[in-house]
Amino acid sequence: YLKSIALNDNEFSYNNLGLLYYHMDRIAESIDIYKRGIAIYPNNSKLLSNLALVSKKSIEKEQQLEMYNKSILLAPSIFFNY
């Protein structure tokens, strides 16, 4: 995925790499990747909701709710946001 980001920077690569790090229990790296992706794609609901999910122990609940709410507003029909 790092190679994918380097060759063809897209939101799917950031999302997949963030998930990979999360499932490898490399939470700090997962958070970093999601933040990098959101800096480039600030209106990507998957990146926002996944950052809120993986950040649940390292950020305030209010920030987490803001990310989830923005994600739902951007893509209300996507079930994973609920």
Side-chain angles (χ1 to χ4, degrees):
Y1 292 112
L2 287 173
K3 198 173 203 177
S4 174
I5 289 171
L7 294 173
N8 184 18
D9 192 10
N10 65 63
E11 66 264 35
F12 303 110
S13 296
Y14 286 100
N15 191 56
N16 290 336
L17 183 57
L19 287 172
L20 177 66
Y21 283 147
Y22 175 73
H23 288 291
M24 293 173 64
D25 205 29
R26 294 166 63 178
I27 305 304
E29 290 163 292
S30 178
I31 290 169
D32 180 57
I33 289 296
Y34 283 123
K35 286 182 177 179
R36 286 174 47 196
I38 290 168
I40 299 166
Y41 306 101
N43 293 322
N44 185 287
S45 64
K46 288 182 184 180
L47 293 174
L48 287 163
S49 62
N50 284 342
L51 176 60
L53 173 73
V54 302
S55 300
K56 63 185 171 189
K57 292 183 180 177
S58 64
I59 64 170
E60 298 294 323
K61 295 225 182 280
E62 192 172 301
Q63 288 176 299
Q64 196 176 10
L65 284 172
E66 286 175 25
M67 283 186 258
Y68 279 130
N69 286 334
K70 184 174 181 182
S71 177
I72 291 168
L73 288 172
L74 290 168
S77 63
I78 298 176
F79 71 92
F80 72 83
N81 287 326
Y82 297 98

